[in-house]
Amino acid sequence: MSVFEKFKHGLTKTRDFVAAQFNRLAAEFGHFDDDMLDELEMTLIQADCGITASMESIDAIREHIRNTGDDSHAGVIGALYETLSSMLTERKLTLERGKLTIYLMVGVNGTGKTTTSAKLAQRAKREQYRVMMAAADTFRAAAIDQLKVWGERTQTAVIAHDMGSDPAAVVFDAIQSAKARGTELLIVDTAGRLHTKKNLMDELAKIRRVIDREAPDAKLETLLVIDATTGQNGIIQARAFNDSVALTGIVITKLDGNAKGGVAIAVARETGLPLVLAGLGEGADDLQDFDRELFLKAILPEY
Amino acid sequence: MALFENLSSRLGRIADAMRGKSRVTEKDIKNMMREIRLALLEADVNYRVVKELTDEIGEKALGAEVLESLTPGQQVVKIVHESLIHILGEEEKLAVSPTGFTVFMLYGLQGTGKTTAAAKLGLHLKERGKRPMLVSVDVHRPAAQEQLRVLAEQAGVERYINPEEKSAAVIAQQGIERAKYMMCDTLIVDTAGRMTVDDELMRELKEVDDVVKPDERLLIVDAMIGQEAVAIAEAFDRQIGLDGFIMTKLDGDARGGAALSIRRMTGKPIKMVGTGEKLRDLEVFHPDRLASRILGMGDVLTLIEKASDAFDEKQAQKTMDRLKANTFTMQDMLEQLEQIQDMGSMKEMISMIPGMGQRMGNLEVDERGLIRTRAIIQSMTVRERENPKLLNASRRRRIAAGSGMTVQDVNRVVRQYDDMLKLMKQFGMLGGKKGRRKRLPFGSGFGF
């Protein structure tokens, strides 16, 4: 399957949903008037794109119609595509041979940090990088075991302490070990935490400080993992994690599920952070670089 | 427009604009309905539900004396709040099977917190005199069964796992046999999650269902879920049949609008809510509180309950007694501090105060002040705590070194103690014969 097909496949439900709404509107009216635009706005909101992003998109379409007089199906989708596209930024994660890169995976509980870490390890392994994982989730029962199982499956070294130990200490050891072994990618899997818990956010900031101090030359990517089913709270999450550890990118997981994934747009619009990865399925190959164009093509009808 | 503004302030703004006008027009009402719609959508209430709700509320608002009221904004908020409570329904109890062996089965997508909810439910039932057993039939996620085992141990609840077995139905059957052998009266079945509601998942769940014949089929829903909540709940309800749901992660700041949508669209009740990372953090669901939360209007009742939970009455009485006897010591001050800390983080508490809610998101509360004060007192000897007059310069230097603070910090704590003593003496005198006042006289001098 090509990357586009993967996106398309993962987002089939969203695409069907948006396209169906569009086609229904187009069939009923043939061109777009105010009532239809209101409905279109609701379609975007239903895809979890968020109120601000949805309203802005509709305003842009209104503007387009006013300026060009083009209220056709294709014209409206084109304008919508342009607006949504301007809200999203993408960035590719890169590794450098012979140099240490660290991925710090953060997020609220249950978004898929451990699974994403494992998939990232597998991907880098396949490209012949020297990879290591650090089990810095010392809170959730059996999280360490889960990562170790993945470590065995992907033949990746896992640095772990006991449950309940200080995650910053795990990270410290992992960095020393990574330096000694000439590791090129160290993936730090942290415990899920609600962004409202100050002590847990402080703990994360401490991990970040340890990384900055112990591996000042390493390239650090601080990645927020967001579940595609998340609603508007995703925006608040992104802001809070950004404040605590200075994010460099967003990973959106479970895009193949029921969710329409509009939260990616909402978060990108509100924070300006780039989207770096998209989880499009349960298989290891289904973690892909986020592609703005493919993402939008996969959710909007053709025009 | 500020994002995540609560409904009161949204409507307040419109009401302000209306003030001074001789009549409130239908357009004003329409504006208000738009604000309500936005507030509910921001709370992740499903769009269809929002539409129905605003239509209903609009009618009620026109019918009621909103237009004549001096505070139309507040009137509308009241109508909305009442409508939400009405939809959310009553508190509902968990099922108990007449056969004496009750089976709970927990479903949900990946990462919603099924395993944690299972363990919390186990502890909840155990504390109410049941003998529950936990069984995990998750044969997919690595170490899922191990997670259940660890959590069950923490909760002190029986459990059965079989990581070698590949069939969920077989583990379920073994779980039942084990539970009966161990004389348990409740079985809690934790199932595998999926990213999506697919046929394969449903088939596996139905197989387990046939084996255990659950009395209570509960869907676990993450409070942070967006618009898709209804579709997911409907899919599970259609294919398996749900009896209710448990909403998890309500200790975050998600509004939890999904609860409203699911209740409305499936008609199934919310049975419990997860409110923290500890196993004890599973609570009975209160419709009025969730309604306030969805509207971003704080959660006063929870706040009050938390406060009364944390304040041990006996402790308070003891403090009063010591105070009257003029023997209030540093040790007492330390105990009071610990009680305040038990109430949870200050930020969490503040967020529950109506009107403070989302807008305080960026507020930095210095909780370290409390921790520092504690560290200083803990660095004192028992004698010093009993009799702070002993604290001469040399002792103060030692305490500063011991707690990692400066002598100035120590002086500050001693001064706080003196201030408190003075304040409390006044209180004590004022309290006079009544003497039983529960209010704790902690002052403003803690440096937070």
Side-chain angles (χ1 to χ4, degrees), chain A residues 13 38-39 41-43 45-48 51-52 55 108-111 119 139-143 145-146 149-150 153 163 192-198 200 202 227 229-237 239 243 253-260 270 279-282, chain B residues 1 3-4 10 34 37-39 41-44 46-48 109-112 140-144 146-147 150-151 154 194-198 222 224-228 231-232 235 249-255 275-278 345 347-348 358 362 364-365 367-368:
Chain A
K13 285 189 181 170
D38 277 350
E39 281 203 42
E41 182 183 57
M42 285 303 152
T43 307
I45 289 172
Q46 279 185 78
D48 288 320
I51 291 169
T52 319
M55 290 203 306
V108 299
N109 315 63
T111 55
K119 287 182 185 174
F139 179 79
R140 181 165 59 90
D145 298 291
Q146 191 185 347
V149 171
W150 279 117
R153 285 191 195 168
M163 199 179 141
R193 63 201 75 220
L194 291 176
H195 49 285
T196 47
K197 305 272 163 97
K198 188 170 186 300
L200 296 181
D202 289 348
D227 180 331
T229 52
T230 311
Q232 297 314 294
N233 194 244
I235 298 171
I236 306 178
Q237 287 171 26
R239 280 189 198 146
D243 287 347
T253 58
K254 310 188 199 175
L255 264 179
D256 59 319
N258 298 67
K260 306 199 166 70
E270 293 297 329
L280 300 165
E282 304 203 22
Chain B
M1 183 193 67
L3 204 61
F4 303 110
R10 279 178 177 285
R34 183 178 163 79
R37 200 172 69 159
L38 292 177
L41 286 171
E42 271 177 355
D44 293 319
N46 183 273
Y47 155 72
R48 279 183 288 163
L109 298 185
Q110 281 173 341
T112 50
H140 301 281
R141 180 161 60 94
E146 177 63 13
Q147 186 187 356
V150 174
L151 289 173
Q154 284 172 9
R194 284 283 204 294
M195 279 191 198
T196 173
V197 186
D198 60 27
D222 187 323
M224 292 175 280
I225 194 169
Q227 294 285 323
E228 208 49 31
I232 293 164
K249 307 181 200 171
L250 267 172
D251 45 331
D253 55 4
R255 296 265 177 94
T275 55
E277 300 214 331
K278 295 197 196 80
S345 79
K347 198 169 172 182
E348 200 182 305
Q358 305 292 341
N362 297 321
E364 271 306 309
V365 180
E367 285 175 29
R368 291 198 186 136

Side-chain angles (χ1 to χ4, degrees), chain B residues 183-298:
Chain B
M183 314 272 277
C184 291
D185 53 17
T186 308
L187 186 69
I188 301 169
V189 185
D190 177 27
T191 64
R194 284 283 204 294
M195 279 191 198
T196 173
V197 186
D198 60 27
D199 294 342
E200 195 198 330
L201 169 71
M202 287 300 171
R203 202 162 39 242
E204 186 183 297
L205 292 177
K206 275 182 193 155
E207 272 175 35
V208 177
D209 211 275
D210 286 344
V211 173
V212 300
K213 299 184 182 60
D215 300 286
E216 185 99 90
R217 297 171 174 88
L218 298 171
L219 181 70
I220 311 299
V221 181
D222 187 323
M224 292 175 280
I225 194 169
Q227 294 285 323
E228 208 49 31
V230 170
I232 293 164
E234 282 177 340
F236 273 97
D237 191 30
R238 200 169 45 241
Q239 304 210 33
I240 289 169
L242 296 173
D243 297 296
F245 52 101
I246 295 179
M247 181 158 258
T248 58
K249 307 181 200 171
L250 267 172
D251 45 331
D253 55 4
R255 296 265 177 94
L260 189 76
S261 317
I262 297 178
R263 181 79 173 98
R264 171 89 172 203
M265 302 308 280
T266 66
K268 301 292 156 55
I270 304 152
K271 299 257 175 160
M272 307 290 288
V273 291
T275 55
E277 300 214 331
K278 295 197 196 80
L279 289 178
R280 221 166 281 277
D281 298 331
L282 183 74
E283 293 173 13
V284 175
F285 161 70
H286 298 291
D288 48 341
R289 296 182 193 177
L290 193 64
S292 303
R293 184 188 179 113
I294 291 171
L295 296 177
M297 301 199 313

Side-chain angles (χ1 to χ4, degrees), chain B residues 180-436:
Chain B
K180 293 200 167 151
Y181 176 75
M182 298 294 289
M183 314 272 277
C184 291
D185 53 17
T186 308
L187 186 69
I188 301 169
V189 185
D190 177 27
T191 64
R194 284 283 204 294
M195 279 191 198
T196 173
V197 186
D198 60 27
D199 294 342
E200 195 198 330
L201 169 71
M202 287 300 171
R203 202 162 39 242
E204 186 183 297
L205 292 177
K206 275 182 193 155
E207 272 175 35
V208 177
D209 211 275
D210 286 344
V211 173
V212 300
K213 299 184 182 60
D215 300 286
E216 185 99 90
R217 297 171 174 88
L218 298 171
L219 181 70
I220 311 299
V221 181
D222 187 323
M224 292 175 280
I225 194 169
Q227 294 285 323
E228 208 49 31
V230 170
I232 293 164
E234 282 177 340
F236 273 97
D237 191 30
R238 200 169 45 241
Q239 304 210 33
I240 289 169
L242 296 173
D243 297 296
F245 52 101
I246 295 179
M247 181 158 258
T248 58
K249 307 181 200 171
L250 267 172
D251 45 331
D253 55 4
R255 296 265 177 94
L260 189 76
S261 317
I262 297 178
R263 181 79 173 98
R264 171 89 172 203
M265 302 308 280
T266 66
K268 301 292 156 55
I270 304 152
K271 299 257 175 160
M272 307 290 288
V273 291
T275 55
E277 300 214 331
K278 295 197 196 80
L279 289 178
R280 221 166 281 277
D281 298 331
L282 183 74
E283 293 173 13
V284 175
F285 161 70
H286 298 291
D288 48 341
R289 296 182 193 177
L290 193 64
S292 303
R293 184 188 179 113
I294 291 171
L295 296 177
M297 301 199 313
D299 193 345
V300 194
L301 292 166
T302 304
L303 179 73
I304 294 166
E305 203 162 82
K306 272 209 169 185
S308 48
D309 272 359
F311 280 134
D312 182 344
E313 260 193 57
K314 274 186 207 147
Q315 185 70 41
Q317 191 57 46
K318 195 181 122 201
T319 307
M320 290 310 293
D321 290 347
R322 296 182 70 83
L323 181 73
K324 271 195 275 178
N326 232 344
T327 52
F328 183 82
T329 64
M330 283 277 191
Q331 183 63 33
D332 296 318
M333 182 162 148
L334 180 66
E335 281 166 15
Q336 283 207 355
L337 277 177
E338 277 162 0
Q339 284 199 347
I340 293 171
Q341 285 188 316
D342 281 347
M343 285 167 68
S345 79
M346 293 309 280
K347 198 169 172 182
E348 200 182 305
M349 303 291 289
I350 287 170
S351 73
M352 285 189 235
I353 301 169
M356 297 284 215
Q358 305 292 341
R359 279 187 294 173
M360 302 298 275
N362 297 321
L363 178 90
E364 271 306 309
V365 180
D366 183 19
E367 285 175 29
R368 291 198 186 136
L370 280 171
I371 296 168
R372 288 192 191 114
T373 307
R374 240 179 102 175
I376 289 170
I377 300 179
Q378 279 169 338
S379 299
M380 295 177 186
T381 65
V382 175
R383 275 188 62 210
E384 285 164 349
R385 291 188 210 180
E386 294 297 329
N387 184 10
K389 290 197 179 69
L390 290 175
L391 294 170
N392 58 23
S394 147
R395 285 176 188 263
R396 287 183 193 209
R397 270 198 301 278
R398 191 205 76 238
I399 292 163
S403 57
M405 308 297 296
T406 63
V407 174
Q408 283 79 13
D409 291 320
V410 178
N411 291 342
R412 183 177 49 81
V413 171
V414 175
R415 208 159 46 237
Q416 277 172 12
Y417 167 79
D418 288 339
D419 289 348
M420 220 164 137
L421 209 59
K422 262 185 240 155
L423 191 77
M424 292 171 107
K425 275 180 184 158
Q426 288 170 359
F427 259 99
M429 277 185 273
L430 283 172
K433 283 173 213 157
K434 285 178 200 155
R436 286 188 57 83

Side-chain angles (χ1 to χ4, degrees), chain A residues 69-171:
Chain A
D70 172 18
D71 57 358
S72 70
H73 190 236
V76 167
I77 297 178
L80 181 59
Y81 183 95
E82 289 300 315
T83 322
L84 293 180
S85 179
S86 71
M87 292 175 188
L88 287 170
T89 39
E90 65 184 22
R91 191 168 61 83
K92 221 179 171 138
L93 294 179
T94 53
L95 296 176
E96 223 176 294
R97 301 232 178 249
K99 190 175 182 302
L100 178 61
T101 299
I102 300 176
Y103 291 168
L104 178 61
M105 314 298 292
V106 302
V108 299
N109 315 63
T111 55
K113 283 176 295 300
T114 307
T115 310
T116 304
S117 298
K119 287 182 185 174
L120 279 168
Q122 196 161 12
R123 193 165 96 152
K125 279 258 52 128
R126 215 172 27 224
E127 291 164 23
Q128 310 290 321
Y129 286 100
R130 287 192 295 275
V131 188
M132 184 187 288
M133 294 193 279
D137 181 353
T138 57
F139 179 79
R140 181 165 59 90
I144 298 169
D145 298 291
Q146 191 185 347
L147 197 70
K148 279 183 178 167
V149 171
W150 279 117
E152 276 165 31
R153 285 191 195 168
T154 58
Q155 312 226 315
T156 308
V158 175
I159 303 293
H161 290 184
D162 290 335
M163 199 179 141
S165 57
D166 180 3
V170 179
V171 174

